[in-house]
Amino acid sequence: HNARGTPINTRTFFTQAMSCRSLTFAVRRLATSAVPCAARSVRMNMPAFAAAPVRHNSLGVSSASYLTPGFKPHEGTHIPEEVELFPAMSWDDGVAAGFPHSGYKELFAGKKVILFSVPGAFTGVCHNAHVPSYSRNLDAFKAKGVDKIMCISVNDPYVMNAWKNTLGDKANGIDFYGDTRRELTKYMHMDISLLEAGLGPGLRSQRYCMLVDDGVIKIIREEASAGDLTVTSGDELLKAMD
């Protein structure tokens, strides 16, 4: 029975809850919907940290609210305003600044932005070819009105900072961010398991790139495999912008 005393089909409820693309959203559904009395009693007696999977960002919006099962963003799709990324920085700088994150307004609003996502920092194709392909085309992108070039990965911002420093001149003109919570990766439906390559412990991002103008995706390219670099390099995106 739910909170109103109405009988519910427990099997159907749990099937629907766990069919959610986001586990966070499933947990929220379990916590707020018609939970069977026994399960609700257990939940009521659990410590306060049990509610932690439901996170609200600086806009007060649940991080699961903009996930879209069955819908993959495409050209013309608007990037959700709830998306947050962590700018690359050292641990000490992160502590001093209170572990800052960058929101939609800072990242996309009123800007023409190139964003490319890589499976992992320090990995072969990403390090030797993908990032340098954007840096060497920096002037050409600026000539086309691009305000910002962003490299993101499902890594913490401290790894991204170390990687950027290691790249040196090959990363000139590129801002690095950690999609540490996988918010953008999940929204873009680019989650991918690369455990076979030792990239973990959880899901990573497929290799893709996009041109975003004031929050709207204008061009998007995705590789067939995370190890490929055929359609998402800076050279190829520059051609697509002609």
Side-chain angles (χ1 to χ4, degrees):
H1 294 76
N2 62 18
R4 295 186 296 274
T6 304
I8 66 170
N9 186 320
T10 305
R11 184 175 182 179
T12 300
F13 173 79
F14 279 96
T15 299
Q16 292 175 345
M18 298 314 295
S19 69
C20 296
R21 181 175 177 85
S22 167
L23 180 59
T24 301
F25 187 70
V27 171
R28 185 177 67 168
R29 181 177 291 182
L30 290 172
T32 59
S33 299
V35 183
C37 291
R40 190 168 66 251
S41 297
V42 172
R43 180 175 60 82
M44 293 296 287
N45 293 325
M46 292 175 71
F49 62 76
V54 181
R55 184 187 64 80
H56 289 73
N57 63 17
S58 59
L59 298 178
V61 180
S62 167
S63 61
S65 66
Y66 57 87
L67 299 183
T68 50
F71 170 80
K72 185 165 184 175
H74 49 77
E75 293 173 1
T77 300
H78 201 289
I79 300 295
E81 295 188 6
E82 293 86 358
V83 164
E84 294 176 342
L85 300 173
F86 288 80
M89 64 181 62
S90 69
W91 172 261
D92 289 342
D93 288 343
V95 171
F99 303 110
H101 46 254
S102 299
Y104 171 89
K105 186 174 294 186
E106 178 183 345
L107 297 171
F108 299 108
K111 302 180 181 73
K112 182 178 285 189
V113 176
I114 288 173
L115 181 149
F116 66 100
S117 183
V118 300
F122 292 102
T123 55
V125 175
C126 309
H127 186 91
N128 298 317
H130 204 179
V131 173
S133 75
Y134 282 89
S135 182
R136 68 171 174 262
N137 285 299
L138 179 62
D139 290 339
F141 284 127
K142 285 185 176 181
K144 291 184 177 294
V146 172
D147 300 302
K148 185 183 184 73
I149 301 177
M150 300 166 50
C151 174
I152 73 167
S153 180
V154 181
N155 280 110
D156 62 67
Y158 321 114
V159 167
M160 295 299 281
N161 184 64
W163 184 33
K164 179 178 181 179
N165 292 338
T166 301
L167 282 162
D169 292 343
K170 294 180 180 179
N172 281 347
I174 300 173
D175 295 327
F176 285 63
Y177 293 86
D179 188 10
T180 310
R181 298 177 181 134
R182 284 194 305 115
E183 289 188 344
L184 185 58
T185 301
K186 286 187 290 185
Y187 176 77
M188 297 301 298
H189 292 226
M190 293 291 182
D191 304 75
I192 187 172
S193 175
L194 295 171
L195 291 175
E196 289 296 322
L199 293 175
L203 296 175
R204 292 300 186 107
S205 173
Q206 172 64 293
R207 191 184 306 279
Y208 69 96
C209 71
M210 56 184 177
L211 174 67
V212 182
D213 192 354
D214 195 22
V216 178
I217 300 173
K218 297 298 184 180
I219 300 172
I220 183 166
R221 299 287 185 268
E222 176 185 354
E223 297 290 352
S225 170
D228 294 343
L229 186 62
T230 58
V231 298
T232 64
S233 69
D235 306 280
E236 292 300 315
L237 184 57
L238 192 60
K239 292 178 186 176
M241 293 173 64
D242 288 335

